[in-house]
Amino acid sequence: MKIVSIFKGMFVGFIAAFAVPILMLLGIGMIYGGNYNLTDHPWKYIACLIAMIPIAGFLGYYLSNQQTLSQKDRWQIAAIAVLLITMIANSIGLIIGFKLTLDSFEIVNIWPLLLYALMRGIIFLPLSIPFGKLVLDILYHWVHNIPF
């Protein structure tokens, strides 16, 4: 049962790795009054996949051990998970982006990149926590109420 919950979490993380960035980019396009090309940088989705699948798998395992969680606990878990996902996805995305544009890591200073990824993760928390809570609620419902 625990292994199935891990795979459920990984599946939800895989779906969310595509859905959440698309929703965020469409929201940004609506705010700025433009149209954002969703296929312009496919490596952004790869960075989200690398970050979301293991964390969602761990959340699936954790949620399978918890029979009841209050809404406060869910918001806290979502905030921690979203901060980790944004930091990992931002740092991996920045490193992949620099590798693709500069063809080398020799002129890239990694530590300021990681600090910048942390800052971006913290700045975008108010926008990304509701999406993380939505994904967490879907995963919680699926782990506890759906047999597979």
Side-chain angles (χ1 to χ4, degrees):
M1 183 65 185
K2 304 297 183 197
I3 300 295
V4 172
S5 298
I6 292 171
F7 284 119
K8 286 180 183 180
M10 292 172 70
F11 181 73
V12 169
F14 180 78
I15 300 298
F18 290 103
V20 172
I22 288 172
L23 290 174
M24 297 277 284
L25 291 174
L26 289 175
I28 289 170
M30 286 176 31
I31 289 171
Y32 290 124
N35 217 357
Y36 194 83
N37 188 3
L38 298 175
T39 61
D40 194 23
H41 302 290
W43 52 267
K44 291 179 185 176
Y45 301 108
I46 295 170
C48 287
L49 276 172
I50 293 170
M52 289 183 103
I53 288 177
I55 291 176
F58 175 75
L59 284 176
Y61 177 74
Y62 177 74
L63 293 175
S64 69
N65 291 331
Q66 304 295 322
Q67 291 302 320
T68 58
L69 278 177
S70 66
Q71 289 295 324
K72 179 183 175 185
D73 291 339
R74 289 187 197 181
W75 280 105
Q76 289 174 346
I77 292 169
I80 292 168
V82 162
L83 181 63
L84 288 173
I85 289 169
T86 54
M87 285 179 9
I88 294 169
N90 283 328
S91 60
I92 290 172
L94 286 170
I95 289 171
I96 291 173
F98 275 117
K99 176 65 177 166
L100 291 175
T101 56
L102 300 175
D103 286 334
S104 169
F105 287 125
E106 294 173 1
I107 57 175
V108 176
N109 196 354
I110 298 294
W111 291 110
L113 272 177
L114 297 178
L115 181 63
Y116 180 66
L118 174 66
M119 289 178 7
R120 280 182 62 179
I122 292 172
I123 289 171
F124 286 116
L125 274 180
L127 294 174
S128 56
I129 286 178
F131 287 113
K133 173 75 166 62
L134 175 67
V135 171
L136 184 74
D137 285 342
I138 291 169
L139 180 61
Y140 184 78
H141 176 72
W142 195 26
V143 165
H144 287 288
N145 296 332
I146 299 176
F148 178 78

